[in-house]
Amino acid sequence: MASVEYGSRPVAADRRKRGRRLDATVILSMCWLVVVVAAALVGDNLTHYGATTPVPDSRLLAPSPEHLLGTDDFSRDVLDRLIVGARSSMLIGFSVAVASSLLGGTLGIAVAVWRRLEPPVMRVLDGLIAFPSIILTILLVTLFGAGHTQVIFALTVVFFPRIARVVRGITLSVAASPYVEAAEVIGGGRMWATWHHVLPNVIGPLSVQGTYVLSRSIVIDAALGFLGLAVPPPTPTWGNMLGDARLFISQAWWMVFAPGVCIVLTALAVNYAGDWLRDITDKTRESSR
């Protein structure tokens, strides 16, 4: 019945059907994310040699039973560094996703509800959005220095304006709905209507945007690490592992392969999980109409 009422509803129905089940891709993605998060939380307890401890007489060894992913140019075990490096990538990714969602979501709702704030605030946000993400991030990290806090701050500045714009559009759409206008007319007030009607409709899309920010933050952090602008050595990150490996591509391919695969798989896993979350939230929003 729902698919007859609106012309675009069959597509939404197909997406709801996909959202009801977990296909193999989503299951594998979530399994991979569980492994990465576990490595980030208890990585030090999973290492055999230590992420920063050189193994004597083991420089640039190829993968073997003793060193499953080989060793690097400082005789350090690549697998151990990979496990500990997950902590930095996930810490930065999750921190940026949460900070950007909170700041962007709050600001997007505020400018949509109090329209006098919209012109000055949105012009500033448009100016930030105009900069390419990687260029603005490099500029901010160069100004404030390298480190976890600086990278999180820089990436939050890059991504929260985009989330604010998305949330603003959703808030304006929901606020114009008859049931929200009726809630204000009968005495609920703007704040009451925003809290009870606007915010529940924003949380789903905001969560999806958070997964996008998480994926992009991991990739950009890796790029900064490759350029030597992120977390400084000796702390291992997937990005600085790639940066260290660029001089040894021809003689130690495993140094590039291991962190590169982890970055790609993690970004893809987050994107697949975000797509599934989008289907779930769309299903919830459609069924509430």
Side-chain angles (χ1 to χ4, degrees):
M1 179 65 71
S3 61
V4 178
E5 187 177 354
Y6 297 98
S8 62
R9 202 56 69 83
V11 175
D14 290 341
R15 291 176 63 184
R16 290 200 302 270
K17 291 178 181 178
R18 293 199 306 268
R20 290 191 184 102
R21 68 180 191 272
L22 287 172
D23 58 23
T25 304
V26 176
I27 293 175
L28 291 175
S29 298
M30 291 185 174
C31 290
W32 173 256
L33 291 177
V34 169
V35 170
V36 174
V37 171
L41 294 176
V42 296
D44 290 332
N45 297 323
L46 301 177
T47 60
H48 181 66
Y49 300 97
T52 59
T53 304
V55 182
D57 301 323
S58 300
R59 184 175 184 270
L60 295 179
L61 292 181
S64 65
E66 291 77 17
H67 304 281
L68 295 180
L69 294 178
T71 61
D72 63 6
D73 54 315
F74 287 101
S75 302
R76 297 170 299 192
D77 187 83
V78 173
L79 178 59
D80 287 353
R81 291 179 59 77
L82 205 65
I83 293 172
V84 176
R87 178 180 304 162
S88 176
S89 295
M90 299 311 291
L91 171 63
I92 290 175
F94 276 112
S95 298
V96 173
V98 171
S100 299
S101 298
L102 290 176
L103 183 58
T106 302
L107 196 58
I109 293 175
V111 297
V113 173
W114 292 283
R115 301 301 297 274
R116 282 184 290 184
L117 295 174
E118 186 174 14
V121 172
M122 293 309 298
R123 296 298 76 78
V124 173
L125 298 184
D126 288 342
L128 292 174
I129 294 174
F131 282 92
S133 301
I134 186 65
I135 300 299
L136 181 56
T137 306
I138 290 175
L139 174 63
L140 293 173
V141 171
T142 303
L143 288 175
F144 296 104
H148 285 101
T149 304
Q150 293 87 336
V151 173
I152 291 171
F153 168 77
L155 290 173
T156 300
V157 171
V158 168
F159 287 116
F160 92 86
R162 293 165 170 79
I163 293 182
R165 176 166 285 280
V166 172
V167 172
R168 168 186 168 273
I170 297 172
T171 302
L172 289 175
S173 176
V174 175
S177 301
Y179 65 89
V180 177
E181 295 178 351
E184 295 183 9
V185 169
I186 64 177
R190 181 177 300 177
M191 288 299 300
W192 186 91
T194 300
W195 181 262
H196 287 85
H197 296 295
V198 174
L199 189 59
N201 285 278
V202 168
I203 290 177
L206 186 61
S207 301
V208 176
Q209 288 295 311
T211 61
Y212 164 79
V213 171
L214 173 59
S215 174
R216 291 281 292 154
S217 298
I218 292 173
V219 174
I220 294 180
D221 173 59
L224 293 175
F226 180 84
L227 297 173
L229 298 175
V231 180
T235 302
T237 69
W238 293 344
N240 65 28
M241 288 177 68
L242 278 178
D244 294 340
R246 69 182 184 272
L247 300 177
F248 303 92
I249 295 178
S250 60
Q251 61 185 118
W253 56 267
W254 55 89
M255 289 179 60
V256 178
F257 177 80
V261 167
C262 283
I263 294 168
V264 172
L265 288 181
T266 303
L268 286 176
V270 173
N271 285 332
Y272 280 123
D275 289 342
W276 175 75
L277 182 61
R278 179 199 60 201
D279 294 339
I280 291 295
T281 56
D282 284 350
K283 175 176 70 71
T284 303
R285 293 176 67 192
E286 290 291 336
S287 62
S288 65
R289 291 180 179 179

